[in-house]
Amino acid sequence: MNKIEVIHTPALLPLYELKDKVVVVIDILRATSTMCVAFKTGVKKILPVANPDECRMFKEFDFIIAAERNAVRVEGFDMGNSPFEYENPILADRNIAFTTTNGTKAIKMAKAMEPHSILIGSFLNLSALCSKIKDSQKDLVLLCSGWKDKYNLEDTLFAGAVIEALGSDFEISDDAAISSHSLFVQHQDNLEALVRRSSHANRFSLLHLQTDDVKFCLQTDAYPVVPFMEGEFLVCE
Amino acid sequence: MNKIEVIHTPALLPLYELKDKVVVVIDILRATSTMCVAFKTGVKKILPVANPDECRMFKEFDFIIAAERNAVRVEGFDMGNSPFEYENPILADRNIAFTTTNGTKAIKMAKAMEPHSILIGSFLNLSALCSKIKDSQKDLVLLCSGWKDKYNLEDTLFAGAVIEALGSDFEISDDAAISSHSLFVQHQDNLEALVRRSSHANRFSLLHLQTDDVKFCLQTDAYPVVPFMEGEFLVCE
């Protein structure tokens, strides 16, 4: 039976082996949610980039450049990291170079460890993601992006949601997987209440965002596309 | 109001500031449980030591030497890390040099970061520990020892038990604290069932231990002493 492991933050990634495993990168608030929206809108490719300086260099190659640090858009960039921005039809068939505080870093770290494949997960694509995971017949690693290498609540909660959705097809013997699953089972009837208590949701409320990104990112199966890494790029079938 | 943070593994310790905080080191299976038993038996001082080679050097100074690696006693040492061994009255008034896979490492790492104080926590001393924490009027860090830098279930569960026992006197705004608390609340009526699922309990059952260390280490308040660091030593009032 294939196994599930959960890694709570990229800081713990070096303790794991990813070879021949499927890795799902999770950054619920908001990078991996935003990526699902972007591909649903018709974006062609997303290039995850390490930092704003490197990201800016792709402007001349006809990329839209997007950068977020500490939950706000970096000055001088075309776009930030709110999923609402990525519903704009002007993005159809465009390529985006994207850097965020946590999510794109987690993707790049996972890529460097040469897993079988890297998928993008969020509540927005939960069921489609789980079908793809089941089809793979590989061991699974759920990699939470966390917040600056610290544990976060919403990514762990989503790891638990994936475990619940996969059901009995996978073996849950890893302690972090047992605990993530338990967190989801306890709070599944009111995800929003829990996520509103998270430190990142509190960061948003201090910023007085114009949009309710928390509520948006908890819409299960609203954007059923599964972005995956192909070479250096995220693409979608 | 004083704050609570939970650190799931010593690998994440460098992300935190410990200055002027009380740190509780947690290694339920079994180092911090065993330490409570040892002090209740009348042990004078415990010296946490990094590794078996360094530990052995204290033999000539009239220390009892104790070493555990991968859940078993290291050959050539007087004692291992099962709490049952430490009920032997022959240990009264003796000093022990002690090294374990996870717990003593976590203590030494925390010590190097100069917190206000370091306390030893386990289910065996839960209420006594919480009184001491409340008396301190300091911010609190619950440091789980984990397993070889990975997350573990039983230490997180105990962090949640401390948060529950402290009640409304502390602010729980840290994501890892919210999640640990949630884990305890969900499983408090049957801690043993959860801990039996943990990877460390599985390690024990593969070793066919003669004693039921899991059950022993879940006895709430059975050994109400609170070991703390004084210089390089653990002592008890």
Side-chain angles (χ1 to χ4, degrees), chain A:
Chain A
M1 199 187 282
N2 288 118
K3 291 180 179 182
I4 304 181
E5 290 168 304
V6 171
I7 306 180
H8 283 134
T9 104
L12 301 177
L13 200 43
L15 303 170
Y16 291 80
E17 176 57 68
L18 302 189
K19 279 249 160 60
D20 206 37
K21 295 178 183 171
V22 172
V23 177
V24 174
V25 177
I26 302 167
D27 185 359
I28 298 303
L29 298 176
R30 299 165 287 177
T32 60
S33 301
T34 293
M35 287 164 179
C36 293
V37 175
F39 282 107
K40 192 75 176 59
T41 298
V43 160
K44 214 158 121 191
K45 291 188 162 109
I46 295 179
L47 181 67
V49 184
N51 59 57
D53 284 344
E54 292 183 20
C55 192
R56 203 174 278 115
M57 296 168 72
F58 288 92
K59 182 79 177 168
E60 66 171 302
F61 299 98
D62 201 33
F63 281 79
I64 291 175
I65 56 172
E68 167 269 328
R69 282 297 179 275
N70 300 314
V72 298
R73 178 164 64 89
V74 181
E75 220 186 296
F77 281 80
D78 301 324
M79 305 187 73
N81 188 19
S82 171
F84 288 96
E85 302 177 64
Y86 290 79
E87 294 199 292
N88 190 338
I90 206 170
L91 297 174
D93 287 321
R94 297 295 306 270
N95 299 304
I96 301 177
F98 198 26
T99 184
T100 71
T101 311
N102 306 294
T104 55
K105 178 186 154 189
I107 294 169
K108 291 190 80 70
M109 284 179 71
K111 172 83 166 67
M113 291 172 69
E114 302 182 349
H116 174 269
S117 52
I118 296 176
L119 309 177
I120 295 300
S122 73
F123 285 101
L124 306 179
N125 73 349
L126 177 60
S127 300
L129 173 73
C130 289
S131 302
K132 202 146 184 171
I133 292 168
K134 284 184 184 177
D135 290 346
S136 75
Q137 309 247 352
K138 297 277 179 190
D139 287 344
L140 175 65
V141 172
L142 301 170
L143 173 59
C144 302
S145 299
W147 177 259
K148 297 187 178 178
D149 280 338
K150 289 187 179 176
Y151 174 96
N152 87 22
L153 209 46
E154 65 278 11
D155 294 349
T156 307
L157 189 67
F158 179 72
V162 172
I163 294 168
E164 176 70 9
L166 291 173
S168 55
D169 293 353
F170 284 76
E171 183 191 328
I172 315 171
S173 56
D174 166 68
D175 279 18
I178 295 170
S179 171
S180 306
H181 185 220
S182 175
L183 186 73
F184 176 76
V185 168
Q186 192 179 7
H187 297 280
Q188 60 185 322
D189 295 333
N190 199 348
L191 298 177
E192 192 177 330
L194 182 68
V195 175
R196 294 263 179 228
R197 290 180 67 197
S198 74
S199 51
H200 202 51
N202 286 319
R203 236 168 260 128
F204 286 164
S205 63
L206 292 172
L207 290 168
H208 302 291
L209 295 187
Q210 301 298 305
T211 53
D212 189 348
D213 290 17
V214 170
K215 204 180 205 48
F216 187 100
C217 293
L218 296 176
Q219 300 172 90
T220 301
D221 291 332
Y223 294 76
V225 294
V226 187
F228 60 94
M229 286 294 278
E230 190 174 69
E232 291 291 326
F233 292 94
L234 283 167
V235 297
C236 203
E237 266 152 15

Side-chain angles (χ1 to χ4, degrees), chain B residues 221-234:
Chain B
D221 291 331
Y223 294 76
V225 294
V226 187
F228 60 94
M229 286 294 277
E230 190 174 71
E232 292 291 325
F233 292 94
L234 283 168

Side-chain angles (χ1 to χ4, degrees), chain B residues 40 48-50 70 100 118 124 139-140 143 161 174 193 229 235 237:
Chain B
K40 192 75 175 62
V49 184
N70 300 316
T100 71
I118 296 175
L124 306 180
D139 287 346
L140 176 65
L143 174 58
D174 166 70
M229 286 294 277
V235 297
E237 268 151 13

